[in-house]
Amino acid sequence: MAFLHSHATSFGYKQVPEEQKSKLVGNVFSSVASSYDLMNDLMSVGLHRLWKDRLISKLNPFPGMKHLDVAGGTGDVAFRVLERINSVSHRAMQGTLPYTEEDTQIYVCDINPNMLNVGKKRASERGYKEDNFLSWIQGDAEALSFEDGSMDGYTIAFGIRNVTHIEKALSEAYRVLKRGGRFLCLELSHVDVPLFKEIYDVYSFSVIPAMGELVAGDRQSYQYLVESVRRFPNQEKFAQMIQEAGFARVEYENLVGGVVAIHSGLKL
Amino acid sequence: MMRRTATLLLRQNGSGVGGGIPQALADVLVCPLSKKPLRYCEASGSLISDAVGVSFPIVDGIPCLVPKDGKLMDQDQKESEDCTRILPTTNEK
């Protein structure tokens, strides 16, 4: 039987053949795309905004940079990078900058076209002219369509746990970054703090799927979400994987006791 | 010397659907399978990877460069005159 010989990977707590995982993940995100932003706010009690802000300040964007945000279809991270760059530009108007603001390019890559369409729509609602600074590409984190050494920065926020082969995504991130480029990953992680861990578990397994049912009409997708977080490697293990992909100065920062972690690395 | 995608693509008048692809994308996009330059086919509005003989669609102005969504081109399509043979330009950003 083919199943016995194929590799299995985790989809939440279900073991599924590898080929199926990306299809199942795809279905999850087509389903969640429209209520994605609202659910993020509800599940994290608005905290995801602060977490993304923290991600951007660690990134330290600069005018003229080429930045790739992966799995960021709806544009949350991309808009923050742009806004940060705009504010840096204005503050630096007095002095001379090595790059002009016009060279700034933010590439948003997502495997799901629904998420990208939401992002594009939000971009125009915010008054960003089409194709000015922002580019939207449908692509696979495991096989990026960007040239070697083309990016100053790479971010992936709440996306890497959905990738079938994390090592491939990490080595692709390494490939597309320039020397001196930075890798940053914001992801749900592992809580070890006693008592808080138990509360967090109850919240995750009871409250979140119910919220998913109520708000998005989709309990199953949010059940998957919660399970995928538990199956994802812990902070130390993930840091090790980033190092194995070739990154140097790998470190991580826990937020809210490890509910989320920001891992970073440098391509030397 | 390897030709970059930028030299294989010509920015058409304006950007968006049916108008070629913007310079920002031409500068960095490559085939996700071979990592080699892509060519824009005006007739089909798709991006061609000659290295692996695969074409990738552009839908609503968004290039779809997921490997499994690429279409293998048959010999006829590869030699088709409909795809504009784009000359390299000196239009480097």
Side-chain angles (χ1 to χ4, degrees), chain B:
Chain B
M1 178 159 146
M2 262 245 288
R3 285 149 126 219
R4 300 175 62 232
T5 297
T7 61
L8 294 176
L9 293 164
L10 182 69
R11 181 173 184 172
Q12 313 292 322
N13 48 315
S15 57
V17 180
I21 68 170
Q23 194 65 39
L25 283 176
D27 282 345
V28 296
L29 282 186
V30 293
C31 167
L33 296 158
S34 66
K35 314 303 185 193
K36 296 212 164 82
L38 293 164
R39 176 167 61 85
Y40 177 66
C41 171
E42 217 178 340
S44 57
S46 60
L47 292 161
I48 314 278
S49 169
D50 288 317
V52 292
V54 172
S55 85
F56 298 95
I58 300 177
V59 181
D60 291 334
I62 297 176
C64 304
L65 292 160
V66 178
K68 61 176 175 59
D69 290 341
K71 283 197 276 280
L72 272 173
M73 302 185 303
D74 54 43
Q75 207 50 39
D76 292 337
Q77 284 173 296
K78 283 188 209 174
E79 289 160 14
S80 167
E81 294 283 298
D82 286 340
C83 282
T84 319
R85 272 264 70 137
I86 308 289
L87 296 168
T89 69
T90 49
N91 184 20
E92 295 279 34
K93 197 172 173 251

Side-chain angles (χ1 to χ4, degrees), chain A residues 196-268:
Chain A
F196 182 56
K197 180 181 180 0
E198 279 72 51
I199 297 170
Y200 179 56
D201 282 347
V202 168
Y203 178 68
S204 299
F205 289 98
S206 305
V207 177
I208 288 187
M211 235 190 250
E213 179 69 58
L214 255 165
V215 176
D218 186 353
R219 168 178 283 270
Q220 204 184 17
S221 295
Y222 289 89
Q223 185 70 32
Y224 156 74
L225 196 145
V226 169
E227 290 172 2
S228 70
V229 173
R230 297 300 183 287
R231 291 293 287 214
F232 187 73
N234 68 17
Q235 284 86 329
E236 283 296 327
K237 175 67 184 152
F238 186 51
Q240 200 188 326
M241 292 167 80
I242 296 171
Q243 237 177 345
E244 280 161 16
F247 290 101
R249 308 218 194 122
V250 178
E251 50 184 47
Y252 64 85
E253 179 188 8
N254 277 337
L255 303 171
V256 192
V259 171
V260 296
I262 298 178
H263 281 73
S264 60
L266 188 63
K267 175 172 175 174
L268 287 177

Side-chain angles (χ1 to χ4, degrees), chain A residues 2-232:
Chain A
F3 186 86
L4 290 173
H5 297 287
S6 65
H7 294 105
T9 184
S10 66
F11 179 75
Y13 285 143
K14 293 196 266 217
Q15 284 297 102
V16 297
E18 279 181 349
E19 322 81 69
Q20 272 193 39
K21 175 167 182 176
S22 58
K23 181 157 183 268
L24 290 168
V25 168
N27 292 344
V28 165
F29 280 94
S30 292
S31 165
V32 308
S34 53
S35 34
Y36 188 69
D37 293 332
L38 175 59
M39 274 302 291
N40 282 346
D41 269 328
L42 287 173
M43 288 190 290
S44 69
V45 197
L47 286 173
H48 75 102
R49 295 158 187 260
L50 293 178
W51 297 334
K52 284 163 187 165
D53 289 344
R54 180 77 187 131
L55 178 70
I56 299 318
S57 55
K58 288 184 92 111
L59 175 66
N60 223 351
F62 58 88
M65 83 180 300
K66 305 267 180 285
H67 183 77
L68 173 61
D69 182 50
V70 176
T74 55
D76 260 3
V77 169
F79 299 141
R80 279 174 168 79
V81 174
L82 255 187
E83 274 146 36
R84 176 71 171 235
I85 288 174
N86 288 336
S87 69
V88 169
S89 290
H90 290 134
R91 275 189 272 121
M93 282 251 258
Q94 308 299 318
T96 48
L97 289 169
Y99 303 102
T100 58
E101 199 184 298
E102 289 89 69
D103 295 327
T104 304
Q105 282 300 330
I106 317 292
Y107 300 90
V108 183
C109 175
D110 201 298
I111 202 161
N112 188 299
N114 299 327
M115 300 291 269
L116 289 166
N117 286 325
V118 170
K120 269 190 104 170
K121 194 162 74 91
R122 288 179 58 200
S124 77
E125 280 163 13
R126 284 174 180 231
Y128 291 116
K129 280 204 291 263
E130 183 146 4
D131 297 330
N132 235 22
F133 304 129
L134 287 164
S135 299
W136 309 83
I137 299 101
Q138 191 184 351
D140 188 339
E142 296 185 22
L144 293 172
S145 58
F146 303 96
E147 218 172 12
D148 296 8
S150 55
M151 302 293 167
D152 296 292
Y154 174 110
T155 47
I156 183 165
F158 303 118
I160 203 148
R161 73 178 188 281
N162 298 311
V163 164
T164 311
H165 304 102
I166 295 168
E167 298 85 352
K168 285 195 194 170
L170 292 173
S171 77
E172 276 292 272
Y174 189 83
R175 180 184 67 78
V176 302
L177 279 168
K178 295 179 189 174
R179 287 192 60 191
R182 297 191 56 230
F183 165 88
L184 284 127
C185 172
L186 169 65
E187 188 52 86
L188 293 158
S189 198
H190 292 242
V191 175
D192 278 329
V193 180
L195 189 61
F196 182 56
K197 180 181 180 0
E198 279 72 51
I199 297 170
Y200 179 56
D201 282 347
V202 168
Y203 178 68
S204 299
F205 289 98
S206 305
V207 177
I208 288 187
M211 235 190 250
E213 179 69 58
L214 255 165
V215 176
D218 186 353
R219 168 178 283 270
Q220 204 184 17
S221 295
Y222 289 89
Q223 185 70 32
Y224 156 74
L225 196 145
V226 169
E227 290 172 2
S228 70
V229 173
R230 297 300 183 287
R231 291 293 287 214
F232 187 73

